[in-house]
Amino acid sequence: MDDYELAAQLAHHAGRIALAIRDSGLIAGRALGDAGDEAANRFLCRAIAQHRPEDGLLSEESADTEARLGKQRVWIIDPVDGTREYGEGRSDWAVHIGLAIDGVAKVGAVGLPALDLVLRTDKPIALPNRPTTPRMVVSRSRPPAQALAVAEAIGAELVPMGSAGAKAMAVVRGEAEIYLHAGGQHQWDNCAPAAVAAAHGLHVSRIDGTPLVYNARDTFMPDLLICRIDLAERVLAEIAALPG
């Protein structure tokens, strides 16, 4: 398999593993999220080690090591992005399989297991015409103040949603036009979504317009903007005009 097919297969099968655990009905609450994460992560780490033994790996659910820092190719994964939504039986959670090459998110697959869907960099889908009123996806519980301010400035409709991957893929699928996050993430939260979004012709950057850089020693990533190309200049300008 090439990298694209491997990423897609990993996202699909990890999603099926997580769904099987949830659908069993034998585990609930916080323990369900932990079980889904652990099982999917174990499968992913072993599969990547077998198929790409020379590549580096960064997973939310595994201890980070410095070994990846000397690698040009690093798989950056989140076995279950949105454990809260996963544990609540919702559909807005995701599986992230990203491959960063020389610090750039080049290959990605984002699985939406509850929808039986995998979105991937090598098979982009057509973006529908955007509505007159743009829609911005935000956190269900804690939308960042910057996102709320920008939405008000441009007259965007807010669409509450769960995980980072689900929000990013809502823009890819044409269910929203803007995903602006300023509350801090980690590399595994957006590597795969960024790769998939860029492959679909969307604008992808930090909220100051600079590129996202992966496989840095510090896994923290402060912010992210994914949006339609024709909205990027306006959104970036409104962010720059915010006080502080």
Side-chain angles (χ1 to χ4, degrees), residues 13 15 26 34 63 67 119 143 148 174 176 191 193 206 242:
H13 289 292
L26 297 172
D34 291 343
L119 295 150
L148 297 179
C191 180
R206 296 275 311 276
L242 293 174

Side-chain angles (χ1 to χ4, degrees), residues 149-230:
V150 171
E152 183 177 3
I154 67 174
E157 172 189 346
L158 297 178
V159 181
M161 195 170 290
S163 78
K167 288 195 278 285
M169 294 307 98
V171 182
V172 169
R173 299 172 67 205
E175 297 176 336
E177 287 69 52
I178 307 165
Y179 173 33
L180 193 169
H181 184 82
Q185 293 183 336
H186 288 272
Q187 294 180 43
W188 49 76
D189 291 312
N190 57 47
C191 180
V196 173
H200 282 74
L202 296 168
H203 172 90
V204 179
S205 74
R206 296 275 311 276
I207 63 172
D208 62 0
T210 57
L212 298 164
V213 178
Y214 294 94
N215 198 33
R217 181 182 297 273
D218 186 354
T219 65
F220 183 72
M221 303 192 80
D223 46 58
L224 168 74
L225 173 63
I226 294 175
C227 69
R228 292 289 187 104
I229 288 287
D230 58 345

Side-chain angles (χ1 to χ4, degrees), residues 27-41:
I27 308 175
R30 177 73 176 269
L32 173 57
D34 291 343
D37 257 332
E38 290 167 7
N41 186 64

